[in-house]
Amino acid sequence: MRVIFNTLTLFFFLYSINGEITNDRYYPMYHAAPPFGWMNDPNGFARFKSEYHLFYQYNPDSSLVPGTAAWGHMKSSDLVHWQHLPIAMYPNNTYDRSGVFSGSALIEDGKMYLYYTAHINHPGETPDHEENQALAISEDGVNVVKYENNPIIPGTGRQPDIRDPKVWKHGDTYYLVLGNKFKRNGTELGRVLLYASKDKYTWEEKAILDESDGWLGYMWECPDFFQLGGYFVLLFSPQGVKPEGDKYRNLYQCGYIVGRFDYKTLKFTPVTEFQELDHGHDFYATQSILDDKKRRLVIAWLDMWETNYPEQNDGFTGQMTLPRILTLTKDLRLLQRPVPEIRAARADVICTGQASGGTSVTLANKAGEVNIRASASNDLELFIEGETASVVIYYDATNGQISLDRGGEDGLRRTEWRPKYLLKITIYIDASSIEVFCGDGQVTFSSRYFTNGPVSVRLGDSSKVEQFRVINMKRTVPIN
Ligand code: FRU
């Protein structure tokens, strides 16, 4: 009896530390985040019965470690106001006992078909894990039932890293892509495999969509493949790309290759090199959908593996980027614009009009939107300052570069950007993140930063701005 009592007390004690946000200083006001616990990749992003659903890799037991991943779940009617829903899937079957890993959703006949990776660890064995693909179905968008004959795509044993199914339908056929690691002449390389099915349950491997030549890394995670602007985009998160100057500076990358694809031959022919999608420190494991407005929306984990997570002592870890609309330019680059629905998170305008160097505004709750319009022929410097950390955004007109520097070791991220006449920058500041959108979305930076105390936005001394608008943002993500 005493043993039971002690175990129960310990359980409730642990639950109460881990089951709530103990300090809200870093908890996002309007970026999707878990109610508590650890969150990584977005999963099963979908539009279902007039609402957006977002699942995510989730450890409800602790914000300190990814743990054994479950699928957390939230929904929204506008991509801005999020509501937490019960955990959708637990790693509680023999075949997914070490993690219900990342995957995606197919909506058909009023049902959600959720494809995911069933991960199993085999400690001390070679290989030390296996990955099979599994299916779960939801009829009401809340209760999720795993398919009785799982797994539906068995791993071969040869290639233990094979995961993150992204599913879609074209004509009368279903397709999915998987990220995979394979070996050639002893070298590990990443690739994307294409599968097809006529019934959603029985799948056949059909093609290798693309693979690393070594330079593009040893493993490709979270692949996505979709048509856009007359081309096809292969979007994925390669691991093992080495830094080159200002490029590929994060531990892992996230980027895309544009090409042509023929559904008859299932051959993907790249026409561009790999390009990074975002230039900040924290952008990984994207997932896109085509919504009911025929917009190609993308969302990413606004975070990175193996880094510092200062928020984890406050009861949560991880947040998502704002959902963005993707379009393709004539020169085959992806533009990213925040969904216009984000305006619903605006509160009061605290500053608007022309502004010169030294202008400074303090945000009400560390959360704001900043719109800048200036001449592209002058430099611009903007400081986002808190008590214990600050971020500098710097546009260098002479060299045609834009940078974000969050200070500390490896604080600088920089890339080329040469706007013609108008310098147009929009910045979303939240309690522990900054998203910068340059021009029409030619360049974006997504980075976390952690400061205590109030946050101010200040124009550098020699900066001159035609239009400087700062808006407080309100809470659209509930905090418990
Ligand atoms: C990407 C990833 C996926 C995997 C998941 C596990 O961040 O490593 O490849 O399915 O996270 O949580």
Side-chain angles (χ1 to χ4, degrees), residues 29-159:
M29 296 279 288
Y30 60 99
H31 282 80
F36 50 82
W38 172 287
M39 177 178 90
N40 56 281
D41 313 2
N43 293 156
F45 190 22
R47 174 105 185 152
F48 180 69
K49 298 187 176 159
S50 308
E51 288 176 309
Y52 293 96
H53 285 255
L54 185 65
F55 300 84
Y56 53 90
Q57 288 290 281
Y58 189 38
N59 179 7
D61 297 326
S62 170
S63 53
L64 303 181
V65 286
T68 307
W71 271 33
H73 189 188
M74 56 181 115
K75 69 171 186 176
S76 171
S77 57
D78 62 359
L79 294 164
V80 180
H81 294 86
W82 291 98
Q83 180 191 336
H84 295 296
L85 292 174
I87 291 175
M89 282 195 269
Y90 288 91
N92 55 2
N93 287 77
T94 313
Y95 58 84
D96 60 17
R97 60 181 181 271
S98 312
V100 175
F101 272 16
S102 284
S104 60
L106 178 92
I107 308 300
E108 196 169 49
D109 304 328
K111 290 184 195 166
M112 250 181 201
Y113 294 84
L114 302 170
Y115 293 83
Y116 69 96
T117 297
H119 184 89
I120 309 174
N121 288 331
H122 297 298
E125 290 175 32
T126 310
D128 64 359
H129 62 280
E130 69 176 269
E131 295 184 322
N132 304 290
Q133 315 312 316
L135 171 65
I137 298 170
S138 178
E139 301 200 359
D140 61 2
V142 178
N143 297 293
V144 174
V145 179
K146 291 181 191 167
Y147 176 50
E148 58 193 8
N149 294 325
N150 272 340
I152 52 165
I153 306 178
T156 59
R158 263 181 312 120
Q159 40 190 45

Side-chain angles (χ1 to χ4, degrees), residues 40-41 57 69 101-102 117 163-164 221-222 284-285 301 305:
N40 56 281
D41 313 2
Q57 288 290 281
F101 272 16
S102 284
T117 297
R163 58 180 174 265
D164 309 337
E221 295 192 311
C222 302
Y284 198 64
W301 183 36
W305 286 111

Side-chain angles (χ1 to χ4, degrees), residues 117 131 133 155 159-164 178-180 193 195 219:
T117 297
E131 295 184 322
Q133 315 312 316
Q159 40 190 45
D161 289 283
I162 180 162
R163 58 180 174 265
D164 309 337
L178 288 175
N180 179 221
L193 304 175
Y195 290 70
M219 172 65 193

